[in-house]
Amino acid sequence: MGADSTVSATPSAAEKTAFAAMLDEVAQPCSSPDAPVSAPGPTDKKPTGSAGKQSLASGEPLPSEPIEPGAPTEPEAELNDRDGCASVQHEQRILQALQSVSEPTPAKVRKALNGLGYIDERIHGLQQDGKATRFHLDLREKGGRLCEAGLAAGVESDVTVCTTSHLT
């Protein structure tokens, strides 16, 4: 990883409070009894990866194209209704922001994510992959298991739900 992809500063109490408030605000539509129940997996956004590809086995190198998410098979991949719904909300706002990032370097992707309220402590694995940048966001709160995996690649950007095992 490059020097611009790591941050050592610990977030202040104010930053943590603002982050928690942002998580609550994003998940607000998911808290009502009429909230849409969304299972983890692909959203209604246009897919950008190669259909039919399977996920990678442990230790295999990352492909240059995003992998289409499949149905979660690991027990930890199962999200509760609120997290499943919140996942869609996060994916849409992150995708919109990433599509406007030209030349998505790790530093520019971090800045875009910070601009949305995601704190450095929760942004993991920022890594240049050709002209794109891959990352994971730890969005676990209140016992949830929500994580988002992203590929910042301008208009070809993609954000999908992931398992918390990606964060360890």
Side-chain angles (χ1 to χ4, degrees):
M1 276 199 261
D4 62 349
S5 64
T6 58
V7 173
S8 59
T10 303
S12 68
E15 289 172 319
K16 286 183 178 182
T17 300
F19 175 71
M22 180 273 296
L23 290 178
D24 285 342
E25 182 180 329
V26 170
Q28 181 65 35
C30 305
S31 300
S32 72
D34 299 328
V37 176
S38 176
T43 63
D44 59 354
K45 67 183 180 293
K46 189 165 133 182
T48 57
S50 301
K53 279 193 177 181
Q54 298 298 316
S55 59
L56 295 174
S58 180
E60 286 186 7
L62 294 173
S64 60
E65 296 291 322
I67 296 174
E68 287 297 318
T73 57
E74 302 172 37
E76 70 178 358
E78 295 176 18
L79 300 177
N80 62 34
D81 289 345
R82 183 179 187 273
D83 280 354
C85 173
S87 173
V88 174
Q89 306 300 317
H90 285 286
E91 288 169 16
Q92 290 173 349
R93 69 192 300 265
I94 295 166
L95 185 62
Q96 183 177 9
L98 293 180
Q99 288 177 335
S100 66
V101 176
S102 63
E103 300 177 29
T105 63
K108 288 181 179 180
V109 171
R110 180 180 300 281
K111 184 176 179 179
L113 294 172
N114 289 157
L116 292 173
Y118 300 100
I119 57 176
D120 291 332
E121 177 181 77
R122 299 295 192 100
I123 302 170
H124 300 281
L126 275 170
Q127 183 175 9
Q128 191 78 40
D129 185 4
K131 293 183 178 183
T133 295
R134 293 185 182 278
F135 64 92
H136 288 95
L137 277 175
D138 178 357
L139 302 174
R140 293 176 288 181
E141 67 170 339
K142 302 174 186 171
R145 297 179 175 179
L146 184 56
C147 165
E148 297 289 344
L151 176 70
V155 296
E156 297 297 318
S157 294
D158 192 30
V159 182
T160 59
V161 68
C162 63
T163 63
T164 53
S165 64
H166 288 96
L167 302 174
T168 56

